[in-house]
Amino acid sequence: MGKSRNFFHLHLVSDSTGETLMTVARAATAQYEDVEAIEHVYPLVRSARQLEQVISEIEASPGIVLYTLVDTELAERLEQAGRRSASPCVNILSPVFSVFQSYLNVQLTGRVGGQHALDADYFHRIDALNFTMLHDDGQIPGNLDEADVVLLGISRTSKTPTCIYLANRGLKAANIPIVPDIPLPPQLFSVRRAMVVAVIASVERIQQVRQNRILSLNAGSFANDTYLDRRQIAREIATTRKLCAERGWPVIDVTRRSIEETAAEIMSLYRAHKSALVDQLTS
């Protein structure tokens, strides 16, 4: 019999998108077994009127309050409301700002949503995302070497979401499926600038994901197809490993990895790849 879960209200108040808060809150919550947060997310809170609505919801459902509010008056008003409702309030960026200010000896500018500015980095990420979407699932292989990363993998190894995540980090990522009896595009074997990496998973994991995919599509006619056959899946994985061994391409097993963890490993490999390219050009 499974343990009962304990629920608590978690209020996330931000004058920007709230992404930072959600990342921190979920990382913290994940460290506590049998505890689950009921999240209340309030993005773009920038006026006293907006804050009053937030406070009314906190008072109706007291819990932990995490916030990122640059406006000190709004922050103080939220802190007061938290004390009244016995809801601890934490400005998660405050200790970070203190360290920066002490070390750099500069004043905080108090710029709301500064990390989301429409600067060169922003447009670089948009360009990477456009490239990635155009090169999903083996499309437009003619300019593969314009990619930063070329991701290979058999069906249901999370190639597309991983590439989209990489694009949001500014990397142009193309993905190419490895399909039995279908040759890979010849352009793949002539790339010089792009880093080629493959993803695999266990036979059990791939079979499970493929089965769920078929069920979601109501594609019952494929139930006995080789697509779900364990021996066929094992052959596909072996083919991937053999190809990468011959070419010297790295392989990442994503069986127990989240997309974020897979992307982090790819970005680490790409930094080493990029450094090696620079060394070649300068030597």
Side-chain angles (χ1 to χ4, degrees), residues 1-275:
M1 185 174 179
K3 295 181 181 179
S4 61
R5 299 188 68 81
N6 297 312
F7 294 87
F8 70 100
H9 292 283
L10 179 59
H11 300 272
L12 307 175
V13 188
S14 174
D15 50 21
S16 187
T17 63
E19 293 174 12
T20 301
L21 279 173
M22 286 188 284
T23 300
V24 171
R26 290 170 185 174
T29 304
Q31 300 303 313
Y32 298 91
E33 290 187 10
D34 306 316
V35 173
E36 187 168 337
I38 302 172
E39 290 184 358
H40 306 263
V41 184
Y42 314 96
L44 303 175
V45 177
R46 299 178 180 178
S47 70
R49 182 177 178 181
Q50 291 172 317
L51 184 61
E52 287 306 315
Q53 183 176 350
V54 172
I55 289 173
S56 66
E57 294 194 31
I58 294 172
E59 290 174 341
S61 304
I64 296 174
V65 180
L66 303 182
Y67 72 90
T68 53
L69 296 173
V70 171
D71 188 308
T72 54
E73 291 185 8
L74 294 181
E76 178 56 31
R77 177 76 184 88
L78 181 62
E79 292 273 1
Q80 292 173 356
R83 287 192 288 271
R84 285 200 309 271
S85 62
S87 298
C89 293
V90 179
N91 180 349
I92 65 164
L93 290 179
S94 182
V96 180
F97 289 153
S98 296
V99 171
F100 271 60
Q101 187 167 331
S102 174
Y103 187 82
L104 300 174
N105 194 29
V106 293
Q107 290 297 314
L108 182 69
T109 60
R111 188 157 58 102
V112 174
Q115 73 272 35
H116 300 295
L118 300 182
D119 55 13
D121 285 341
Y122 172 83
F123 290 106
H124 178 72
R125 291 195 302 273
I126 294 298
D127 185 42
L129 186 57
N130 287 334
F131 181 93
T132 297
M133 298 306 294
L134 287 172
H135 293 78
D136 182 42
D137 204 28
Q139 300 179 80
I140 318 180
N143 61 344
L144 276 182
D145 213 22
E146 293 181 18
D148 296 311
V149 173
V150 178
L151 189 62
L152 306 178
I154 65 176
S155 174
R156 303 293 106 192
T157 47
S158 300
K159 297 184 298 298
T160 295
T162 301
C163 284
I164 292 174
Y165 188 94
L166 291 170
N168 277 297
R169 293 302 186 94
L171 293 182
K172 293 181 178 180
N175 79 77
I176 297 177
I178 296 176
V179 182
D181 303 320
I182 296 180
L184 292 166
Q187 296 88 347
L188 173 65
F189 302 102
S190 61
V191 296
R192 293 293 180 268
R193 175 186 174 276
M195 183 191 75
V196 181
V197 59
V199 285
I200 60 169
S202 68
V203 173
E204 294 77 14
R205 175 61 177 167
I206 293 174
Q207 185 184 48
Q208 179 187 41
V209 176
R210 289 182 178 183
Q211 181 68 65
N212 291 340
R213 176 64 171 170
I214 287 174
L215 291 174
S216 70
L217 296 174
N218 294 318
S221 60
F222 291 94
N224 297 317
D225 193 83
T226 55
Y227 186 65
L228 294 178
D229 184 77
R230 291 173 61 89
R231 288 173 297 181
Q232 176 59 33
I233 294 171
R235 282 193 288 269
E236 293 176 34
I237 295 170
T239 297
T240 303
R241 287 189 179 277
K242 180 181 178 183
L243 171 67
C244 292
E246 291 172 348
R247 291 281 169 173
W249 295 333
V251 178
I252 300 174
D253 189 330
V254 301
T255 304
R256 298 185 181 277
R257 290 177 185 255
S258 66
I259 288 169
E260 293 85 354
E261 289 172 322
T262 301
E265 177 68 16
I266 292 172
M267 287 187 286
S268 177
L269 290 170
Y270 176 72
R271 285 191 291 271
H273 172 80
K274 188 176 180 181
S275 178

